[in-house]
Amino acid sequence: MELTELNADEIVLGQPLLVDCYDSHGHLLLRRGLIVSNQKQLDFLLEHGLYARPEERARAKSAQSAAPIAAAVVAKPLSPFGALERLGLRLQPLFFGACAGKLPPLVDLGAECLGAADQIIKLGEGDADALFGAVHLDTSLPYCIRHCVHRAIVCDRIGEHMAIAPEHRRYLVAAALSCDLSIYNIHDQLYGQKDALLPVQRDAIDAHPVATAQILSSAGVTNTRWLTAVMQHHELPNGKGYPRGLVRDSLSEWGLMIKLADMYTAMISPRRYRSASSSKSALRTILLERGTTIDADLAVHFIKTLGVFPPGVWVKLQNGETAIVTHRGLNPKAPRVMSVVGPRGAPFEHPFERRTDSRHHEIVDVVERDELVEIDLPRLWGYNP
């Protein structure tokens, strides 16, 4: 395999690698998309030599030179949906490697998780409504990574509502991203499984909070709130959770928050053997279970964060149209919506906004998603012309 040596200016700290990187013997060190997070790591790599395939290197240089021109010609806001998809695709091989005990050399798992957390926080601060839309509607990623990202989004938004500063919240979001690492390789299998769990599956699930904390600790994660949240994210306030059956006074608030986000995002995700629960049904379950399997105070923060009609849910309007909520408003019962289906069931060619504070277009009820209706998420949230 022909390789050429990379220069220091071809690797940007904190930015995804544009090429697969090899050592001088042709052994793969870092895959394209991973991030070199600190100068010490970069210096070590360059000192020992970092190489790439000539054709990949040429494409990367071409992309770098074209980027400023493209940005000058088209100055459009970047879609958070595309950013979330790229984030998930970057984390997916990293999480598989961590689960298998085969992280690429010199990859800092903790730094990668924190970098992803910082990006989620930034996206949420830019357009939280679009991120909630992704949680309810976006199925572009495989479930194994989609569930991690969506759970992290919900934790970030609850944390923001609770006034947790971003410099602390990043560890909460990283914990929400990484809390299932030890069972990451069977997530998709469990997602599509209708039959009862096999004994080996049950054992893996029961052990995964502690096993995942061990993976993170072995990879260099030392933040105690992060590790504790991971170990306790399946404990319940009533003491009937696992692995230790702890009661509320002994539990981490972050662990309880991750449990709540995990429960909600799992309920609203369709399975191969069942449809997704509506957000209305999921919120009702959370209200009914607060104080037992769900912390009562966190349930209140959660519902106030999402709103009565969360962005991304499908609703029926008074005039018979079906719409998708896109933005929360000052009036929680009158969010902004885009109508997508007419009163007779025919999809509109182009969705359009309806004012739900109008009696004729007020929301009657939350309805299930119509899987036959194709929706363009960036366009629905105004990121496409």
Side-chain angles (χ1 to χ4, degrees):
M1 177 171 57
E2 183 183 357
L3 297 171
T4 59
E5 189 167 9
L6 293 167
N7 300 319
D9 60 359
E10 294 180 79
I11 302 174
V12 181
L13 287 177
Q15 296 295 321
L17 292 169
L18 298 178
V19 294
D20 288 335
C21 297
Y22 302 82
D23 64 14
S24 59
H25 301 291
H27 299 132
L28 180 64
L29 296 177
L30 299 170
R31 287 198 177 278
R32 180 166 58 93
L34 290 178
I35 291 175
V36 178
S37 56
N38 59 69
Q39 188 64 46
K40 182 178 179 181
Q41 186 182 34
L42 178 58
D43 291 343
F44 179 87
L45 290 167
L46 292 172
E47 180 183 346
H48 290 79
L50 209 54
Y51 299 81
R53 295 180 178 179
E55 62 273 17
E56 285 194 7
R57 191 179 178 194
R59 283 197 297 268
K61 285 186 174 181
S62 177
Q64 286 177 320
S65 62
I69 299 173
V73 174
V74 183
K76 297 177 182 176
L78 296 176
S79 163
F81 304 102
L84 288 175
E85 184 175 8
R86 291 189 294 273
L87 174 70
L89 291 174
R90 191 176 80 235
L91 290 177
Q92 192 175 3
L94 186 71
F95 283 7
F96 268 122
C99 180
K102 297 179 180 179
L103 278 173
L106 302 177
V107 168
D108 187 332
L109 178 62
E112 290 286 347
C113 290
L114 287 171
D118 290 338
Q119 188 172 356
I120 287 173
I121 290 171
K122 184 176 180 181
L123 291 171
E125 290 172 344
D127 193 341
D129 289 312
L131 260 62
F132 278 138
V135 168
H136 290 93
L137 295 173
D138 194 355
T139 58
S140 58
L141 292 167
Y143 180 77
C144 58
I145 190 63
R146 181 173 82 235
H147 183 59
C148 299
V149 172
H150 291 177
R151 178 176 57 211
I153 289 170
V154 173
C155 283
D156 170 54
R157 294 294 86 207
I158 299 174
E160 192 275 339
H161 186 268
M162 295 172 65
I164 301 174
E167 60 267 26
H168 301 301
R169 201 160 78 235
R170 66 196 299 254
Y171 293 98
L172 163 65
V173 178
L177 281 169
S178 62
C179 62
D180 289 335
L181 280 180
S182 72
I183 54 171
Y184 189 78
N185 61 334
I186 62 171
H187 249 185
D188 282 342
Q189 177 186 343
L190 297 174
Y191 167 68
Q193 184 170 316
K194 184 177 181 180
D195 299 329
L197 293 174
L198 299 172
V200 66
Q201 293 174 322
R202 171 49 63 192
D203 290 345
I205 290 172
D206 289 345
H208 88 270
V210 173
T212 296
Q214 290 172 344
I215 290 173
L216 291 167
S217 182
S218 298
V221 173
T222 59
N223 184 275
T224 54
R225 295 193 73 181
W226 179 350
L227 296 174
T228 300
V230 167
M231 286 189 286
Q232 295 185 359
H233 78 281
H234 279 292
E235 301 284 0
L236 302 175
N238 62 6
K240 294 184 179 180
Y242 65 91
R244 296 179 60 195
L246 301 175
V247 295
R248 176 64 184 92
D249 291 344
S250 302
L251 294 177
S252 151
E253 185 174 60
W254 285 12
L256 291 169
M257 199 182 303
I258 294 172
K259 171 60 181 176
L260 175 53
D262 186 77
M263 175 182 175
Y264 180 78
T265 51
M267 282 193 292
I268 63 170
S269 295
R271 296 289 193 269
R272 296 189 182 100
Y273 54 87
R274 68 155 172 84
S275 299
S277 297
S278 70
S279 66
K280 180 180 178 181
S281 174
L283 290 172
R284 184 187 298 116
T285 298
I286 289 169
L287 284 171
L288 290 173
E289 295 191 15
R290 59 181 174 168
T292 55
T293 62
I294 295 172
D295 180 80
D297 291 337
L298 285 178
V300 172
H301 283 292
F302 176 80
I303 291 168
K304 286 183 177 180
T305 299
L306 265 73
V308 178
F309 301 110
V313 305
W314 292 62
V315 292
K316 182 68 71 174
L317 305 184
Q318 182 65 48
N319 69 345
E321 293 174 358
T322 302
I324 296 173
V325 177
T326 57
H327 297 81
R328 296 158 296 173
L330 295 177
N331 181 352
K333 295 185 178 180
R336 285 173 55 187
V337 305
M338 297 289 282
S339 262
V340 292
V341 178
R344 297 184 179 181
F348 294 122
E349 184 175 354
H350 299 292
F352 56 91
E353 186 173 351
R354 288 292 196 191
R355 292 194 53 171
T356 57
D357 57 356
S358 161
R359 184 176 180 181
H360 189 56
H361 300 126
E362 65 183 2
I363 295 175
V364 176
D365 201 359
V366 174
V367 295
E368 291 185 5
R369 174 176 180 169
D370 187 338
E371 299 291 346
L372 298 179
V373 177
E374 293 186 11
I375 53 175
D376 182 335
L377 294 182
R379 184 181 295 275
L380 210 59
W381 266 267
Y383 289 95
N384 282 358

